[in-house]
Amino acid sequence: MLTSESPHLPCQLQFHKEGPFYPYVGSFLVAIAGLPSIIDPSNPLKWSADDRIMLSGVLTPDREISPFEVHQEAVRGHLAHDSYCTSLCVMLANTAYAVAEEYQDHSPAFEFFRHVRNASSHGNVFNFSSREPCTAAAWRTARIDDAKKGKSNPLYGKGCFGEFLGFVDILELLWDIEQLIGARSGPA
Protein backbone atom coordinates (compact mmCIF):
# COMPACT_ATOMS: atom_id res chain seq x y z
CA MET A 1 0.00 0.00 0.00
CA LEU A 2 1.31 3.40 -0.94
CA THR A 3 -0.11 6.76 -0.04
CA SER A 4 -0.06 10.02 -1.91
CA GLU A 5 -0.57 13.53 -0.61
CA SER A 6 -1.81 14.88 -3.94
CA PRO A 7 -5.57 15.41 -4.18
CA HIS A 8 -5.36 14.45 -7.87
CA LEU A 9 -4.05 10.96 -7.17
CA PRO A 10 -5.72 8.01 -5.54
CA CYS A 11 -5.20 8.05 -1.81
CA GLN A 12 -3.84 4.51 -1.89
CA LEU A 13 -2.27 2.58 -4.69
CA GLN A 14 -3.51 -0.95 -4.37
CA PHE A 15 -2.34 -3.29 -7.07
CA HIS A 16 -4.80 -6.08 -7.73
CA LYS A 17 -3.49 -9.52 -6.77
CA GLU A 18 -4.85 -10.80 -10.08
CA GLY A 19 -3.31 -7.89 -12.00
CA PRO A 20 -0.15 -8.13 -14.06
CA PHE A 21 2.17 -6.22 -11.70
CA TYR A 22 1.30 -7.42 -8.21
CA PRO A 23 4.14 -9.94 -7.68
CA TYR A 24 6.75 -7.58 -9.13
CA VAL A 25 5.60 -4.50 -7.22
CA GLY A 26 5.44 -6.64 -4.07
CA SER A 27 9.02 -7.81 -4.53
CA PHE A 28 10.12 -4.22 -5.19
CA LEU A 29 8.44 -3.08 -1.96
CA VAL A 30 10.01 -5.92 0.06
CA ALA A 31 13.45 -4.92 -1.23
CA ILE A 32 12.84 -1.23 -0.50
CA ALA A 33 11.46 -2.03 2.95
CA GLY A 34 14.65 -3.96 3.75
CA LEU A 35 16.91 -1.06 2.83
CA PRO A 36 16.92 0.65 6.25
CA SER A 37 18.13 -2.51 8.01
CA ILE A 38 20.76 -3.14 5.33
CA ILE A 39 22.35 0.31 5.53
CA ASP A 40 22.10 0.76 9.32
CA PRO A 41 25.62 0.22 10.74
CA SER A 42 24.14 -1.03 14.02
CA ASN A 43 23.02 -4.22 12.22
CA PRO A 44 19.45 -4.15 13.62
CA LEU A 45 18.66 -7.63 12.29
CA LYS A 46 21.72 -8.96 14.16
CA TRP A 47 23.15 -10.84 11.21
CA SER A 48 26.29 -12.77 12.00
CA ALA A 49 29.05 -13.88 9.67
CA ASP A 50 27.65 -17.43 9.94
CA ASP A 51 24.12 -16.59 8.75
CA ARG A 52 23.23 -17.90 5.32
CA ILE A 53 20.31 -17.68 2.91
CA MET A 54 20.00 -20.57 0.47
CA LEU A 55 19.28 -19.90 -3.20
CA SER A 56 18.35 -23.05 -5.08
CA GLY A 57 19.60 -23.77 -8.56
CA VAL A 58 18.16 -25.94 -11.29
CA LEU A 59 20.97 -25.86 -13.86
CA THR A 60 23.60 -24.85 -11.32
CA PRO A 61 24.30 -25.94 -7.76
CA ASP A 62 22.46 -24.33 -4.87
CA ARG A 63 24.31 -21.34 -3.43
CA GLU A 64 24.33 -19.65 -0.08
CA ILE A 65 24.56 -15.92 0.36
CA SER A 66 25.61 -14.16 3.50
CA PRO A 67 23.22 -11.40 4.55
CA PHE A 68 25.95 -10.17 6.90
CA GLU A 69 28.33 -9.67 3.96
CA VAL A 70 25.60 -7.86 1.98
CA HIS A 71 25.03 -5.64 5.03
CA GLN A 72 28.77 -4.96 5.31
CA GLU A 73 28.98 -3.98 1.63
CA ALA A 74 26.13 -1.52 2.12
CA VAL A 75 27.62 -0.05 5.29
CA ARG A 76 30.93 0.44 3.48
CA GLY A 77 29.04 2.42 0.84
CA HIS A 78 29.57 -0.12 -1.94
CA LEU A 79 25.78 -0.47 -2.34
CA ALA A 80 24.80 3.18 -2.39
CA HIS A 81 21.17 4.09 -1.69
CA ASP A 82 20.55 5.84 -5.02
CA SER A 83 22.24 3.08 -6.99
CA TYR A 84 20.27 0.41 -5.12
CA CYS A 85 16.95 2.19 -5.70
CA THR A 86 17.79 2.87 -9.34
CA SER A 87 18.59 -0.81 -9.90
CA LEU A 88 15.31 -1.87 -8.34
CA CYS A 89 13.39 0.60 -10.52
CA VAL A 90 15.18 -0.63 -13.64
CA MET A 91 14.41 -4.26 -12.83
CA LEU A 92 10.79 -3.45 -12.07
CA ALA A 93 10.33 -1.42 -15.27
CA ASN A 94 11.83 -4.16 -17.44
CA THR A 95 9.84 -6.98 -15.89
CA ALA A 96 6.58 -5.07 -15.74
CA TYR A 97 6.81 -3.99 -19.37
CA ALA A 98 7.47 -7.56 -20.51
CA VAL A 99 4.33 -8.66 -18.67
CA ALA A 100 2.21 -5.77 -20.00
CA GLU A 101 3.52 -5.66 -23.56
CA GLU A 102 0.59 -7.67 -24.90
CA TYR A 103 -1.66 -4.74 -23.90
CA GLN A 104 0.49 -2.13 -25.68
CA ASP A 105 -1.91 0.09 -27.61
CA HIS A 106 0.58 2.84 -28.56
CA SER A 107 -1.32 5.35 -26.43
CA PRO A 108 0.84 8.18 -25.05
CA ALA A 109 1.02 6.52 -21.60
CA PHE A 110 2.06 3.14 -22.99
CA GLU A 111 4.60 4.78 -25.28
CA PHE A 112 5.99 6.61 -22.26
CA PHE A 113 6.19 3.28 -20.42
CA ARG A 114 7.97 1.74 -23.44
CA HIS A 115 10.61 4.48 -23.42
CA VAL A 116 11.11 4.08 -19.66
CA ARG A 117 11.60 0.35 -20.20
CA ASN A 118 14.03 1.02 -23.06
CA ALA A 119 16.03 3.42 -20.90
CA SER A 120 16.04 0.75 -18.18
CA SER A 121 17.43 -1.74 -20.69
CA HIS A 122 20.19 0.70 -21.68
CA GLY A 123 21.72 1.21 -18.25
CA ASN A 124 19.04 3.64 -17.04
CA VAL A 125 19.86 6.06 -19.89
CA PHE A 126 17.55 7.22 -22.66
CA ASN A 127 18.89 6.02 -25.99
CA PHE A 128 16.74 6.71 -29.05
CA SER A 129 17.33 5.25 -32.51
CA SER A 130 17.17 7.63 -35.47
CA ARG A 131 13.38 7.03 -35.79
CA GLU A 132 12.54 7.27 -32.09
CA PRO A 133 10.53 8.55 -30.39
CA CYS A 134 8.13 7.70 -33.19
CA THR A 135 4.83 8.70 -31.57
CA ALA A 136 3.53 10.85 -28.75
CA ALA A 137 4.73 9.67 -25.35
CA ALA A 138 3.33 11.28 -22.24
CA TRP A 139 2.40 10.40 -18.70
CA ARG A 140 0.82 12.81 -16.27
CA THR A 141 2.86 16.03 -16.65
CA ALA A 142 5.87 14.40 -18.34
CA ARG A 143 6.33 14.45 -22.11
CA ILE A 144 8.89 12.86 -24.39
CA ASP A 145 9.26 15.06 -27.46
CA ASP A 146 8.50 12.93 -30.51
CA ALA A 147 9.42 15.74 -32.92
CA LYS A 148 13.12 15.37 -32.07
CA LYS A 149 14.52 12.00 -33.08
CA GLY A 150 17.54 10.05 -31.98
CA LYS A 151 20.44 12.00 -30.54
CA SER A 152 18.70 15.33 -31.14
CA ASN A 153 16.06 14.46 -28.54
CA PRO A 154 16.75 16.40 -25.33
CA LEU A 155 16.41 13.21 -23.27
CA TYR A 156 19.01 11.29 -25.27
CA GLY A 157 21.83 10.29 -22.92
CA LYS A 158 19.97 11.45 -19.80
CA GLY A 159 19.28 9.23 -16.84
CA CYS A 160 15.79 7.87 -16.40
CA PHE A 161 15.38 6.97 -12.69
CA GLY A 162 16.96 9.43 -10.33
CA GLU A 163 17.05 12.18 -12.96
CA PHE A 164 13.97 12.22 -15.20
CA LEU A 165 11.80 10.11 -12.88
CA GLY A 166 11.88 9.67 -9.11
CA PHE A 167 11.95 6.29 -7.46
CA VAL A 168 8.27 6.26 -6.53
CA ASP A 169 7.28 7.30 -10.07
CA ILE A 170 7.63 3.74 -11.35
CA LEU A 171 4.94 2.62 -8.92
CA GLU A 172 2.61 5.45 -9.93
CA LEU A 173 3.26 4.72 -13.63
CA LEU A 174 2.53 1.02 -13.18
CA TRP A 175 -0.62 1.79 -11.23
CA ASP A 176 -1.84 4.03 -14.07
CA ILE A 177 -0.94 1.41 -16.68
CA GLU A 178 -2.75 -1.26 -14.66
CA GLN A 179 -5.84 0.96 -14.67
CA LEU A 180 -5.58 1.29 -18.46
CA ILE A 181 -5.19 -2.46 -18.87
CA GLY A 182 -8.13 -3.12 -16.54
CA ALA A 183 -10.32 -0.61 -18.38
CA ARG A 184 -9.66 -2.39 -21.68
CA SER A 185 -9.76 -5.97 -20.46
CA GLY A 186 -12.64 -5.74 -18.01
CA PRO A 187 -12.67 -6.33 -14.25
CA ALA A 188 -9.66 -8.08 -12.79
Side-chain angles (χ1 to χ4, degrees):
M1 172 172 71
L2 301 171
T3 61
S4 173
E5 300 300 319
S6 171
H8 298 76
L9 301 178
C11 195
Q12 296 178 344
L13 298 180
Q14 294 187 0
F15 290 83
H16 297 285
K17 288 181 184 169
E18 300 80 21
F21 304 134
Y22 185 83
Y24 311 107
V25 168
S27 296
F28 175 89
L29 293 174
V30 167
I32 291 291
L35 181 58
S37 56
I38 290 289
I39 63 174
D40 185 339
S42 74
N43 189 8
L45 296 178
K46 307 295 181 221
W47 286 312
S48 75
D50 296 330
D51 290 335
R52 296 288 183 264
I53 297 172
M54 179 65 71
L55 299 175
S56 61
V58 172
L59 300 178
T60 61
D62 294 351
R63 297 279 181 182
E64 296 176 338
I65 63 166
S66 166
F68 179 77
E69 288 177 24
V70 173
H71 165 71
Q72 291 298 300
E73 285 293 298
V75 168
R76 290 183 195 113
H78 299 159
L79 299 172
H81 178 270
D82 284 354
S83 175
Y84 176 86
C85 291
T86 297
S87 295
L88 290 174
C89 290
V90 162
M91 288 187 280
L92 181 55
N94 271 305
T95 304
Y97 188 85
V99 169
E101 191 170 18
E102 69 181 276
Y103 301 101
Q104 166 60 294
D105 62 355
H106 303 284
S107 64
F110 245 108
E111 283 297 298
F112 185 91
F113 185 23
R114 181 175 70 87
H115 290 299
V116 167
R117 186 284 314 260
N118 288 346
S120 295
S121 295
H122 288 96
N124 192 42
V125 175
F126 287 100
N127 181 7
F128 302 110
S129 70
S130 62
R131 294 182 306 261
E132 291 283 352
C134 59
T135 61
W139 173 69
R140 296 195 182 175
T141 60
R143 305 276 178 269
I144 299 175
D145 186 354
D146 62 316
K148 296 183 178 165
K149 310 292 184 194
K151 293 180 180 178
S152 69
N153 189 287
L155 281 179
Y156 186 90
K158 300 268 192 256
C160 183
F161 295 106
E163 189 172 342
F164 182 66
L165 294 175
F167 301 133
V168 75
D169 293 337
I170 186 61
L171 298 174
E172 299 276 352
L173 174 61
L174 293 181
W175 193 87
D176 288 353
I177 295 295
E178 185 172 281
Q179 304 319 296
L180 291 173
I181 291 170
R184 285 196 303 259
S185 63

